[in-house]
Amino acid sequence: MVGIVFLTFFVMSLLTNILGPIVPDIITSFRVSLRAAAFLPFSFFIAYGVMSIPAGFLVDRFGEKPVMIAAFVAGTIGSLAFAIHPTYDVAVVSLFVMGSGMATLQTAINPLLRVAGGEEHFAFNSAFAQLIFGIASFISPYIYSYLVLNLGSGSQRNLLLTVLNSLTPTALPWASIYWIFAVFTLLMIVVLFLTRFPHVERTEEESAGSWAMYLTLFRKPMVWAFFTCVFAYVGSEQGTADWMSKFLSTYHGYDTHTTGATAVSWFWGLLTGGCFIGMGLLKIFDSRYVLIGTCIGALLCLTAALFGSEQVSLIAFPAIGLFASVMWPILVSLALNSVAEHHGSFGGILSSGIMGGAVVPLIIGQIGDHFGLRTGVFFLYLTFGCVLSAGFWAKPLISNATVKLKKAVPQPTA
């Protein structure tokens, strides 16, 4: 069961984080503006804002297994719809359907992991699941590059390429990756259907709660402040990943299918690897100081990426992921440690903030259409600055435990 949860994280990441590498292809293939291209990631991530809270009620009502199967059915329908009919209009709808499925999965799998793996191993298993999520994010751009570079070349060397070449329009080789996604999601449906699920008693932190709890939380300014910071963080993450390849192509002439995709891959790889460094820092420093330091580091890398040479920009963009790696867990822990009750409902509100990944790339594209993409990416200064602010105003009821580097001086007894 734990292995199935890990596999779910892997498939979720494949579907979620491929959008960055394909944005330049969307612009070229569909001949759309930067804003229209950004509307596709918008369609995917806005589903988190729509589905995060209702998904909690669905899991409470029907249980994990049927909800997870339904979520992967949505992923399959979305993937097949675009793979069969790869047009811009179909992409908008299919990505929203896929995003709804992924938002629902995210709500269901954490309690399942806690029960299946044992509460005493939950912290380790959660960290390992995030590592798997990051590995899939690192791998997916390479899958994309492999398909784009080999399909239509006239020298299909294996059965996979031969089949995909017959199914995919010659002018849209990048769309073939959605056939891969459809196969993965179909396999997950079969695996889940054949698997016996344990009974899950959801804790107060995991339960969706009641509408009255949400109304109580909505009246608190602190809740809105943390929601805004989560919104800004996910927007910063996706805004960087979605526009990195296009920026490197526009201003430095790098190939989006190779160098651009590799840069996006390393962004996700460093975002994953940076978690290990962040865990060490959180054992030494207050999480608010770590948040301030990493935000400053991300802003410095952003500056180097926007104004540095082509080599500097190629390194600085992925390096943003290294500093962004601990922002999400710090923000969520600060938020949940700032309220004494209704953690499940508050968690649903914070998950809705993931729709920042929909809005921020769209804003960048809108600005970029009028003033150039470099000016559009300037918007990330505002979003990273919003995350930075939490390090100054957050006042958690419980601070993170740190290792004391100095031994206490024994006091003389009377």
Side-chain angles (χ1 to χ4, degrees):
M1 193 71 247
V2 171
I4 289 173
V5 173
F6 289 159
L7 186 59
T8 300
F9 271 101
F10 185 88
V11 176
M12 284 173 59
S13 181
L14 283 180
L15 271 67
T16 300
N17 294 321
I18 194 59
L19 294 170
I22 69 174
V23 162
D25 279 321
I26 291 170
I27 295 170
T28 303
S29 301
F30 297 143
R31 296 183 178 87
V32 295
S33 64
L34 299 180
R35 178 182 178 275
F39 197 77
L40 296 183
F42 175 89
S43 299
F44 186 92
F45 283 98
I46 200 66
Y48 280 84
V50 174
M51 286 300 300
S52 289
I53 292 176
F57 290 110
L58 289 173
V59 174
D60 283 350
R61 174 67 178 83
F62 299 104
E64 282 73 17
K65 183 173 181 175
V67 170
M68 289 177 68
I69 291 175
F72 276 116
V73 168
T76 303
I77 292 172
S79 299
L80 284 176
F82 184 72
I84 294 171
H85 194 62
T87 65
Y88 179 83
D89 292 338
V90 172
V92 171
V93 178
S94 66
L95 285 171
F96 178 81
V97 173
M98 293 167 65
S100 298
M102 299 308 102
T104 303
L105 282 173
Q106 184 151 315
T107 303
I109 56 180
N110 282 318
L112 186 60
L113 182 61
R114 174 182 58 80
V115 172
E119 292 194 17
E120 67 275 19
H121 303 297
F122 183 50
F124 176 84
N125 286 336
S126 295
F128 195 74
Q130 291 303 314
L131 176 63
I132 290 174
F133 191 91
I135 290 172
S137 300
F138 182 80
I139 291 173
S140 59
Y142 284 102
I143 299 175
Y144 154 82
S145 292
Y146 173 78
L147 295 175
V148 170
L149 294 175
N150 288 280
L151 283 178
S153 63
S155 58
Q156 274 68 49
R157 295 182 296 275
N158 56 53
L159 180 61
L160 173 65
L161 292 175
T162 302
V163 172
L164 289 177
N165 193 54
S166 65
L167 295 172
T168 308
T170 305
L172 302 173
W174 58 272
S176 61
I177 198 166
Y178 282 89
W179 286 107
I180 305 294
F181 293 161
V183 171
F184 271 108
T185 52
L186 276 171
L187 289 175
M188 287 302 303
I189 292 171
V190 174
V191 170
L192 292 176
F193 183 79
L194 297 176
T195 301
R196 182 178 179 181
F197 275 52
H199 177 68
V200 177
E201 289 287 347
R202 298 171 71 84
T203 65
E204 192 273 335
E205 287 79 6
E206 296 163 345
S207 176
S210 64
W211 286 114
M213 293 178 183
Y214 287 105
L215 292 175
T216 299
L217 290 169
F218 284 143
R219 297 189 187 101
K220 298 181 178 181
M222 178 269 299
V223 170
W224 286 103
F226 275 114
F227 170 84
T228 302
C229 286
V230 168
F231 183 100
Y233 164 72
V234 181
S236 301
E237 176 190 283
Q238 294 299 321
T240 304
D242 288 351
W243 290 114
M244 181 191 312
S245 180
K246 181 62 177 176
F247 184 96
L248 292 171
S249 172
T250 301
Y251 294 100
H252 301 301
Y254 285 116
D255 187 346
T256 58
H257 296 152
T258 54
T259 307
T262 300
V264 176
S265 175
W266 276 104
F267 171 82
W268 293 115
L270 289 172
L271 191 141
T272 303
C275 293
F276 295 102
I277 301 173
M279 286 189 290
L281 292 174
L282 290 170
K283 286 297 182 182
I284 303 173
F285 303 106
D286 187 291
S287 61
R288 289 166 290 186
Y289 299 150
V290 177
L291 184 63
I292 291 170
T294 53
C295 285
I296 292 173
L299 289 168
L300 291 174
C301 287
L302 177 62
T303 303
L306 291 177
F307 300 106
S309 66
E310 59 183 40
Q311 287 295 329
V312 170
S313 185
L314 184 61
I315 295 172
F317 264 125
I320 294 174
L322 181 66
F323 290 99
S325 57
V326 294
M327 293 181 191
W328 169 268
I330 289 176
L331 282 175
V332 172
S333 63
L334 283 175
L336 295 178
N337 285 336
S338 297
V339 297
E341 55 186 2
H342 306 329
H343 289 147
S345 301
F346 193 16
I349 294 172
L350 294 176
S351 294
S352 299
I354 295 176
M355 65 181 173
V359 177
V360 173
L362 187 64
I363 293 174
I364 292 173
Q366 179 75 31
I367 297 172
D369 279 333
H370 291 87
F371 305 104
L373 184 56
R374 177 178 276 119
T375 305
V377 178
F378 257 66
F379 190 74
L380 294 178
Y381 282 106
L382 177 61
T383 56
F384 274 121
C386 180
V387 178
L388 171 66
S389 71
F392 295 98
W393 54 257
K395 293 181 174 58
L397 303 175
I398 303 173
S399 298
N400 60 298
T402 57
V403 176
K404 302 298 182 183
L405 299 180
K406 294 182 179 180
K407 293 183 178 180
V409 178
Q411 298 296 319
T413 57

